[in-house]
Amino acid sequence: MQSLYTSLKSMKCMRNGHIVWLLGAVLALLTSCKKGYLDIVPDNVPTLDHAFANRLEAEKYLFTCYSYLPSEGDPDRNPAFSAGDEAWTYWPMKEDFFYLDPYNIARGNQNSANPLLNYWDGFDGKSLWQGIRTCNIFLENLDKVIDLQPYEKDRWIAEAKFLKAYFHWYLFRMYGPIPIVDKNLPITATPEEVRVFRQPVDSVVNYISALLDEAAAGENSGLPLRIASATSELGRITKVAALAIKARVLVTAASPLFNGNNDFAGMKNKNGQLLFNSKYDATKWERAKDACKKAIDLAHAAGLKLYTFNPSIIEVDHATQVEMNIRNSVCEKWNSELIWGLTTDAAPTYWLQTFACPQLDPNAFNINLKGKLAPPMKIAEMFYTKHGVPIDEDKNWDYANRFKLRNVTALDTGMQEGYKTVGLHFEREPRFYADIAFDGSTWFMKNGDYNIQSKLEQYSGKKQSRLFSITGYFTKKIVSWNLVFTKTSLQTESYPWPVMRLSDLYLLYAEALNESNSSGEALTYLNQIRERAGLESVQTSWSTYSKNPTKYTNVIGLRDIIRQERCIELAFEGSRFWDLRRWKTATQVLNTPIYGWDILQSTYENYNRRVFVYNMQFVGPRDYFWPIKEDNLQINPNLVQNPGW
């Protein structure tokens, strides 16, 4: 365990460049916490002199900084997959889950005695405070390396600054106002100096933003505009990535959770310092807008563009072309849209794909295809009709009869001719069929077409106590089309997890433009994303098909459109979980029940009945932020707990 306090105290143990490693570290932690003083150092490098003796060793230390990045492509480690309402699974969990934390959070079991997904103290062997400390050590000692070229030094410094900013950002998004650790404490620091305070939201945002600016600075030095060596450097930071993350930080800071939120107006340090500014500030959206535009301009200069599937790879019809535009914008390795892909794990998305993909072939049951990351029915209802408007707004779509059975014909998209399924699955937008599979749907892969048949005892359905979808839906979007399986083997291409891609940045910019009263330009970026997804423009879709044809013409209406567009375009990519929080809509959205189909039934009529799965509870304002572990509040009395915990 490496809490903030432990990390700060351990900085004091560096004497004459040597790291002191106490054999009784765990015992010291348990005994000295009561005294408020820890004198341990958990470094694996014997001496700092050795760590920075030459270029090779220093580069290893830089990669150690990278190693603290959370495993965002893993559903057991990333709360954005399974701690919200975008993907559900059966309970109790079975033996193949390494961590149950996110699933327990989704079921309302977060607590302050032993917090779940506790990245403050250390989760999955990673304390983000320890990551920050490691970056600081790197920055403080890089001058010792004698065989390092100046351009390499500038780049490595920029990378370490980015990582330090990102670790602060990750903690800020989870915990709200946090301490800022810009420098490691000196050996002479007193215990009282180590007992740091949380900093106000605006101070934290300004610090992270400034650090990202430093990382991206310099036209001909520092971070590269694009990665030059695809064989050895993909996944490392570029200028575009630094500015894109800055844009995300500033959009978050301008959003309702942090901008004009009275729920935390009374939250203050014990010295009386207020941690939230409850007054709304419109200039925060202007600042976010400018940051998004700067990042987009640089992305275009680097050659990034919205991904489209190359039809020369394999001959497909138009509908499949559009589907692959959508799926491969996530799953194709290092495609034209990817701004930053995470590769810190050896196989960053292998397990994710096995959790998402169901059994596809009745003659080749493979135990590794689990199909257990199950979108709830409300996620299926979230996608537009084929006219590009919400299902309850489309005046030509039969919303009232969406749960009634219909026969699939040759003219219907994404489904098996002759099958029966509910009206909810007919005449939907291409992203619906690209992202989600269901009983009666089809699943296109590079090695052929598959059919999903998931009623009770069917090959894609429930046949035992595990390896099934609890709702009857499957997350197709995050499964690479290169996945190949037999009864005894499974091969799939593990792709870098897209922390940021260009469509995400476009949507952040559209949101900032709309909140800054620039709706016309916002529509330009929305429509580019919709065109790639096979939809008409917002203006055409709403004017022609919506019961509310002028919705897009005002800030409030367009805000609703942008938010739904964002939830659809970035579905199953870890965005919705955080977006619902920053929009401050989680209290409403996450207090609605989880529904699915009756997966214990074998006939069309009985299976296609909506059934209750779970009643989620999101307590506001408490659940908008993680609790700080109670032990930390005793060790450092200057820390204050988040409200409600």
Side-chain angles (χ1 to χ4, degrees), residues 27 64 73 87 120 139 171 178 235 250 283 312 324 326 352 419 447 506 508 606 612:
L27 179 62
T64 300
W120 183 291
L139 291 168
L171 287 162
I178 58 171
L250 293 182
T283 63
S312 66
M324 296 312 298
I326 298 159
L352 175 65
Y419 217 81
N447 67 341
Y506 279 5
L508 291 174
N606 292 334
F612 171 81

Side-chain angles (χ1 to χ4, degrees), residues 422-474:
V422 292
L424 181 63
H425 301 151
F426 287 80
E427 298 176 335
R428 303 297 298 277
E429 64 157 308
R431 286 177 295 194
F432 175 77
Y433 302 106
D435 287 16
I436 291 179
F438 50 88
D439 182 50
S441 69
T442 58
W443 192 307
F444 174 73
M445 300 293 275
K446 193 171 185 178
N447 67 341
D449 294 298
Y450 295 92
N451 293 326
I452 301 299
Q453 297 186 6
S454 54
K455 293 186 285 296
L456 184 66
E457 296 297 332
Q458 290 184 317
Y459 57 90
S460 305
K462 179 174 170 54
K463 302 181 70 173
Q464 52 193 21
S465 64
R466 54 192 291 268
L467 309 182
F468 66 92
S469 164
I470 191 66
T471 66
Y473 287 110
F474 304 95

Side-chain angles (χ1 to χ4, degrees), residues 179-468:
I180 294 173
V181 184
D182 187 49
K183 302 289 184 183
N184 287 347
L185 291 175
I187 296 172
T188 55
T190 65
E192 190 57 38
E193 288 176 304
V194 174
R195 297 187 181 113
V196 295
F197 290 90
R198 301 175 75 171
Q199 295 300 308
V201 164
D202 290 343
S203 297
V204 177
V205 169
N206 289 337
Y207 171 76
I208 296 171
S209 176
L211 202 54
L212 290 170
D213 278 338
E214 291 178 24
E219 292 185 8
N220 301 311
S221 63
L223 296 175
L225 183 61
R226 61 177 67 85
I227 294 299
S229 176
T231 58
S232 62
E233 295 188 343
L234 289 173
R236 293 178 69 172
I237 309 304
T238 63
K239 290 183 187 294
V240 180
L243 292 184
I245 295 300
K246 177 188 173 183
R248 177 176 286 168
V249 171
L250 293 182
V251 168
T252 299
S255 299
L257 181 61
F258 295 106
N259 192 4
N261 186 356
N262 288 309
D263 289 344
F264 301 97
M267 186 179 177
K268 60 180 68 174
N269 280 323
K270 293 183 179 179
N271 62 7
Q273 183 183 35
L274 287 172
L275 295 176
F276 274 81
N277 182 355
S278 60
K279 184 179 179 180
Y280 176 77
D281 184 355
T283 63
K284 290 182 178 180
W285 280 115
E286 292 290 338
R287 185 183 181 194
K289 179 185 70 174
D290 293 342
C292 289
K293 184 60 164 63
K294 186 175 181 181
I296 288 172
D297 287 345
L298 196 65
H300 291 165
L304 294 174
K305 59 183 179 180
L306 293 180
Y307 170 86
T308 54
F309 181 72
N310 183 357
S312 66
I313 297 175
I314 186 172
E315 186 176 351
V316 295
D317 57 27
H318 176 71
T320 305
Q321 164 81 44
V322 175
E323 177 177 331
M324 296 312 298
N325 287 349
I326 298 159
R327 288 171 58 186
N328 273 13
S329 67
V330 172
C331 295
E332 183 173 308
K333 297 176 68 172
W334 310 113
N335 65 72
S336 65
E337 186 169 342
L338 186 63
I339 292 176
W340 182 31
L342 201 59
T343 60
T344 49
D345 295 325
T349 56
Y350 175 83
W351 292 113
L352 175 65
Q353 294 182 63
T354 65
F355 289 178
C357 189
Q359 300 298 324
L360 297 176
D361 189 335
N363 301 312
F365 179 87
N366 187 301
I367 196 170
N368 293 304
L369 299 179
K370 300 172 177 62
K372 58 178 64 174
L373 283 181
M377 190 173 293
K378 64 177 175 179
I379 299 300
E381 293 185 308
M382 172 188 74
F383 289 83
Y384 296 140
T385 70
K386 68 177 183 180
H387 298 135
V389 297
I391 60 174
D392 59 348
E393 284 189 42
D394 192 328
K395 60 188 180 184
N396 297 325
W397 196 82
D398 192 359
Y399 181 79
N401 291 314
R402 66 191 185 282
F403 297 137
K404 290 188 176 181
L405 281 173
R406 290 173 55 180
N407 292 311
V408 179
T409 71
L411 299 177
D412 294 310
T413 300
M415 295 181 286
Q416 302 162 40
E417 184 179 357
Y419 217 81
K420 288 184 180 180
T421 186
V422 292
L424 181 63
H425 301 151
F426 287 80
E427 298 176 335
R428 303 297 298 277
E429 64 157 308
R431 286 177 295 194
F432 175 77
Y433 302 106
D435 287 16
I436 291 179
F438 50 88
D439 182 50
S441 69
T442 58
W443 192 307
F444 174 73
M445 300 293 275
K446 193 171 185 178
N447 67 341
D449 294 298
Y450 295 92
N451 293 326
I452 301 299
Q453 297 186 6
S454 54
K455 293 186 285 296
L456 184 66
E457 296 297 332
Q458 290 184 317
Y459 57 90
S460 305
K462 179 174 170 54
K463 302 181 70 173
Q464 52 193 21
S465 64
R466 54 192 291 268
L467 309 182
F468 66 92

